[in-house]
Amino acid sequence: DEDEDEGEVVVKETSWLGGMMKNLNKKINVSGQAVLEESDVKPILETLKDKLISKNVAEEVAQKIVNTVESNMVGKKLTSFTRVTTAVTKAVESALTQILSPGRNINILQEVEASRREGEPYSIVFIGCNGVGKSTNLAKVAFWLMQHGMKVMIAACDTFRSGAVEQLRTHTQRLGVELFERGYEKDPAAVAKEALKKAKESRCDVLLIDTAGRMQDNEPLMRALSKLINMNNPNLTLFVGEALVGNEAVDQLTKFNNRLIELSSQDQPHKIDGIVLTKFDTIDNKVGAALSMVYISGAPVIFVGCGQQYSDLRRLNVKQIVSVLLS
């Protein structure tokens, strides 16, 4: 019977859950409520933490999440009809949903429309480490914008890596959009500034700015990136990272953000606004990097790349990700 199933918890006394429930039954007060103690929630949270880590959530992030949930749950009163595991799992589910839905809601299309009304091109800078698929996913974003009726220009501000301009030219020819480039060994910040001027003259709605892939510890390239952002004040700075990396992604994102803040000449430093996760189709259920990166930066995942075609770009389904993390 379904109702009986809700009200009863049938567990073996030898299991950790059985022992926990036996202890819990002793603590039920006269109003039919149980007061949760650390010993009730800790074993469940440890199991859930291991589950998160197995799904590629960075260990430090998983630990911080369960610590927060534990401090919120201890001392809480549950009715005798509520399973402890259900209550704790729901609390973790709620925490994960909250993390993946951070404060700033970025609606690119609305923001582009607002810039268009002011007669200014909306600029997006793409940053990230080497080999994460930055240029390819920039091209996917260009295609997505075009699908929504936007006139797009792409600026080749990776003046460092041999072949970077040619790679972008291939994309722009396929997409039928204008490429702004000044070749190699030029100041990327100056190229971006010129591109913004040209985009305005050409009445483009959006300028997508490609930058050199760089490791987070490469000081000269981080300074060049900071200069580009400070000089051009883009509407959006998107960090492009691979969906498969866990702790490494956290380190990359943290260091990128910290260096942008440290090197900024502005009172309110321009940090990473959003995240594009690449190769999302290759990770099966290892979706944890999305959670780690949002938790560390407070920036939402704007897009996930999930295939080789320009149309293979998706919005992040938070409910689905949480479900996979806890499955």
Side-chain angles (χ1 to χ4, degrees):
D1 185 87
E2 235 178 34
D3 291 335
E4 281 182 21
D5 185 48
E6 276 302 305
E8 283 182 39
V9 182
V10 183
V11 284
K12 291 178 182 175
E13 290 297 334
T14 52
S15 73
W16 61 266
L17 184 57
M20 194 177 71
M21 290 309 298
K22 190 177 178 186
N23 290 336
L24 186 59
N25 287 337
K26 293 173 189 171
K27 295 196 285 282
I28 294 174
N29 60 26
V30 287
S31 64
Q33 292 180 318
V35 180
L36 289 177
E37 292 182 3
E38 189 181 324
S39 56
D40 303 319
V41 299
K42 210 170 187 69
I44 305 168
L45 285 172
E46 281 301 311
T47 302
L48 289 171
K49 183 185 84 173
D50 291 342
K51 193 175 280 190
L52 292 176
I53 293 169
S54 76
K55 301 285 169 65
N56 214 21
V57 175
E59 193 172 340
E60 60 172 300
V61 172
Q63 187 62 60
K64 283 175 180 173
I65 290 166
V66 299
N67 288 350
T68 302
V69 173
E70 183 182 318
S71 64
N72 290 340
M73 293 296 287
V74 172
K76 202 172 183 179
K77 292 176 181 177
L78 295 183
T79 66
S80 54
F81 294 100
T82 306
R83 291 185 180 90
V84 182
T85 40
T86 303
V88 174
T89 304
K90 276 189 174 171
V92 172
E93 190 180 308
S94 173
L96 298 180
T97 304
Q98 206 172 342
I99 291 163
L100 286 166
S101 315
R104 184 182 174 189
N105 179 30
I106 297 172
N107 186 322
I108 292 176
L109 297 177
Q110 277 184 7
E111 292 184 12
V112 171
E113 283 294 347
S115 283
R116 179 148 64 176
R117 285 194 295 272
E118 291 170 10
E120 295 292 335
Y122 185 89
S123 57
I124 306 176
V125 173
F126 291 75
I127 69 173
C129 291
N130 310 42
V132 296
K134 195 158 28 60
S135 301
T136 304
N137 281 273
L138 178 150
K140 288 181 183 181
V141 173
F143 180 80
W144 178 80
L145 288 162
M146 291 166 70
Q147 295 292 97
H148 288 89
M150 303 296 174
K151 186 180 179 184
V152 178
M153 180 187 282
I154 294 175
C157 294
D158 179 355
T159 63
F160 178 74
R161 178 174 65 89
S162 176
V165 176
E166 288 74 17
Q167 185 184 5
L168 275 187
R169 184 173 286 114
T170 302
H171 286 307
T172 56
Q173 285 171 350
R174 285 179 187 159
L175 291 165
V177 302
E178 189 177 346
L179 174 68
F180 185 91
E181 58 97 358
R182 285 289 179 261
Y184 296 101
E185 295 182 19
K186 302 288 192 302
D187 178 4
V191 176
K193 197 166 188 67
E194 269 191 83
L196 271 167
K197 190 180 173 188
K198 177 69 174 168
K200 186 171 181 176
E201 287 169 6
S202 303
R203 302 197 167 199
C204 288
D205 301 310
V206 185
L207 176 69
L208 302 179
I209 301 170
D210 188 34
T211 63
R214 66 206 73 213
M215 297 313 289
Q216 59 271 30
D217 299 318
N218 186 319
E219 187 65 19
L221 283 180
M222 287 307 295
R223 284 189 178 277
L225 179 64
S226 176
K227 181 183 176 185
L228 184 150
I229 290 171
N230 285 329
M231 188 187 286
N232 295 285
N233 201 24
N235 296 92
L236 207 58
T237 301
L238 297 182
F239 179 86
V240 184
E242 282 188 3
L244 197 55
V245 292
N247 287 307
E248 195 184 331
V250 172
D251 182 57
Q252 289 169 2
L253 194 53
T254 305
K255 285 183 176 171
F256 262 83
N257 240 347
N258 287 347
R259 290 308 285 148
L260 288 180
I261 292 165
E262 287 162 12
L263 295 169
S264 177
S265 57
Q266 300 169 349
D267 293 336
Q268 290 189 308
H270 200 129
K271 297 189 291 183
I272 291 163
D273 299 303
I275 298 162
V276 179
L277 277 178
T278 68
K279 305 175 188 176
F280 211 73
D281 54 319
T282 65
I283 59 170
D284 192 27
N285 64 354
K286 308 277 190 194
V287 296
L291 184 80
S292 301
M293 292 165 91
V294 176
Y295 183 89
I296 289 296
S297 66
V301 174
I302 310 290
F303 295 112
V304 292
C306 51
Q308 300 303 311
Q309 305 303 315
Y310 289 136
S311 56
D312 292 331
L313 195 69
R314 303 279 182 272
R315 306 309 296 265
L316 188 75
N317 185 327
V318 172
K319 197 174 180 182
Q320 194 179 7
I321 295 293
V322 171
S323 173
V324 171
L325 285 169
L326 294 177
S327 65

